[in-house]
Amino acid sequence: MKHYKQFFIAVAMTLALVGCSSTKDVPYFQNSQNTDLSHSAMLYDARIMPKDQLTITVSTINDEAAAPFNLTVPTPYTTNTRSTYSQAMLQSYLVDNRGMINFPIVGELKVGGLTKAEAEAMIQQKIQPYINEAEKPIVTVRMTGYQISVIGEVSRPGTFTVSREKITVLEALAQAGDLTIHGVRTNVQLIREDANGQKSIHVLDLTDANLINSPYYYLQQNDVVYVT
């Protein structure tokens, strides 16, 4: 009986030690009070990448002046087994591997590597010679295919569309339901492909508040976050 008692005490102590050790690695940003976040004062702007899908809208006071620059396609729908068409939708542009799009009237434009604001300013400059000087065209560029994937030890793995063209690694994990208790917070891997097709893997430590200063805190289009 004495041996059984000693056995159970040993097991209880082992479980307690294991529990303390694992719990210690669960909280995020454990050193936040000692971390200098002054370098994190920046507003992130995503840059256009090959294979991105863009919608580009040109607006002018006179609608007819902007019409040649706004490619539209009719949207089909069916009523009583008969096909008809509703109001036209803007056609999207697929950025090719060279970072180029073929824009109406102007021709090929290199938008790869530009932010949304930079692309808008460049397109506005290119189309101005084709529009009356009195018109001040407003160009709006939106990324419609901005997606990231979260896989591994999370509650809801999957691919998510980012509507506001900006997302942090923490927001991505939140969309996936956060890490499970088995997820290793010190070894979250970010798989990234750059504009030249080069792949890279970066290890992120969620328990370290310096993550906020990391160049990988904000995710790019098509990033994959893998939780071991």
Side-chain angles (χ1 to χ4, degrees):
M1 188 71 177
K2 182 178 179 180
H3 294 294
Y4 281 115
K5 186 176 181 180
Q6 291 176 340
F7 172 76
F8 285 122
I9 292 174
V11 170
M13 291 179 64
T14 301
L15 291 174
L17 289 173
V18 171
C20 291
S21 175
S22 60
T23 304
K24 180 181 65 177
D25 295 328
V26 170
Y28 300 158
F29 300 154
Q30 296 180 22
N31 58 336
S32 58
Q33 294 182 345
N34 303 319
T35 302
D36 180 13
L37 299 180
S38 60
H39 299 295
S40 66
M42 58 169 288
L43 295 175
Y44 176 78
D45 280 319
R47 295 193 175 272
I48 298 171
M49 303 276 286
K51 304 307 180 186
D52 277 350
Q53 284 194 331
L54 310 176
T55 58
I56 302 175
T57 308
V58 178
S59 303
T60 54
I61 297 174
N62 179 6
D63 291 340
E64 292 182 359
F69 302 101
N70 293 318
L71 290 183
T72 58
V73 290
T75 305
Y77 67 93
T78 302
T79 56
N80 297 328
T81 69
R82 183 178 179 182
S83 295
T84 184
Y85 292 88
S86 65
Q87 185 177 3
M89 291 181 58
L90 278 175
Q91 182 176 339
S92 61
Y93 296 85
L94 180 65
V95 182
D96 67 19
N97 288 340
R98 299 173 297 148
M100 310 290 287
I101 60 170
N102 195 5
F103 199 68
I105 311 296
V106 178
E108 282 197 327
L109 294 177
K110 185 172 179 58
V111 295
L114 301 180
T115 64
K116 186 174 75 73
E118 291 170 347
E120 290 170 346
M122 184 264 289
I123 295 172
Q124 183 181 26
Q125 182 184 25
K126 294 291 186 180
I127 67 176
Q128 187 66 67
Y130 301 96
I131 297 179
N132 189 297
E133 291 184 2
E135 297 282 358
K136 299 297 181 183
I138 298 175
V139 179
T140 304
V141 176
R142 292 298 305 269
M143 300 179 189
T144 58
Y146 196 120
Q147 293 184 326
I148 53 94
S149 299
V150 184
I151 59 176
E153 281 294 336
V154 291
S155 298
R156 297 187 301 272
T159 298
F160 307 95
T161 299
V162 181
S163 59
R164 58 193 180 97
E165 302 162 6
K166 173 183 175 181
I167 189 170
T168 69
V169 62
L170 297 179
E171 291 170 327
L173 291 170
Q175 288 201 28
D178 203 0
L179 281 70
T180 69
I181 194 63
H182 304 293
V184 181
R185 278 120 176 105
T186 58
N187 187 28
V188 174
Q189 299 181 27
L190 171 63
I191 299 105
R192 174 168 291 177
E193 179 178 342
D194 65 18
N196 299 316
Q198 179 65 49
K199 284 78 172 175
S200 57
I201 299 177
H202 310 276
V203 177
L204 309 179
D205 182 357
L206 302 183
T207 68
D208 185 358
N210 282 298
L211 173 65
I212 296 178
N213 293 322
S214 167
Y216 308 110
Y217 181 62
Y218 287 99
L219 300 182
Q220 295 181 2
Q221 306 93 301
N222 305 315
D223 276 354
V224 177
V225 178
Y226 170 57
V227 180
T228 58

